[in-house]
Amino acid sequence: QVQLAESGGRVVQTGGSLRLSCVISGRSWSDYCVSWFRQAPGREREFVAGVLWSDGYTRYSDRAKGRFTLPKDNAKNTAYLQMSFLKPDDTAVYYCAATSFNIGVATQQSRYTYWGQGTQVTVSD
């Protein structure tokens, strides 16, 4: 079974930056999609950003576009979510997810087979 593990969440001030990591283990795929979702208290889980592993194609939500990027380290099987210009509204538990579906980056939770445990990001005023 494929396993994902997120890390890097912490408290950061408004306007600051933070990099989250997602280590993928248990299986290697020729190509797959890795995406980030987030869930704030009382809200539905929402798509943030995703990347196709092989060619680096990325897709961002409107809230993430221009502020977040998706670096990756193929040798370490690690995907990153680099967040800048953070706002209090970015406060949420962030999850990484993976799927063998690779025809574009899917935004629906149902498309993703594997999920990490989540990491808390808190943006203070």
Side-chain angles (χ1 to χ4, degrees):
Q1 291 286 330
V2 173
Q3 295 181 331
L4 288 74
E6 309 99 328
S7 62
R10 64 176 181 88
V11 178
V12 63
Q13 291 183 324
T14 297
S17 299
L18 189 64
R19 174 174 283 197
L20 306 182
S21 300
C22 176
V23 178
I24 305 163
S25 62
R27 183 184 299 175
S28 61
W29 294 328
S30 58
D31 196 14
Y32 49 90
C33 178
V34 177
S35 291
W36 292 88
F37 292 78
R38 67 186 183 187
Q39 186 167 21
R43 298 183 62 185
E44 297 293 323
R45 189 172 298 183
E46 65 176 356
F47 172 83
V48 178
V51 59
L52 300 182
W53 199 257
S54 291
D55 63 12
Y57 174 84
T58 55
R59 182 177 182 177
Y60 299 89
S61 69
D62 289 341
R63 292 182 178 90
K65 189 175 298 183
R67 299 189 298 129
F68 297 177
T69 60
L70 291 165
K72 59 186 178 71
D73 189 330
N74 290 19
K76 295 181 178 180
N77 290 116
T78 301
Y80 303 94
L81 180 65
Q82 179 66 53
M83 303 184 290
S84 299
F85 306 104
L86 285 163
K87 310 171 183 178
D89 193 52
D90 294 317
T91 295
V93 176
Y94 284 71
Y95 300 87
C96 62
T99 177
S100 60
F101 177 86
N102 59 6
I103 309 302
V105 176
T107 62
Q108 304 94 334
Q109 296 181 63
S110 61
R111 285 286 191 181
Y112 291 84
T113 307
Y114 305 101
W115 292 82
Q117 81 288 350
T119 185
Q120 176 71 48
V121 174
T122 301
V123 184
S124 64
D125 290 321

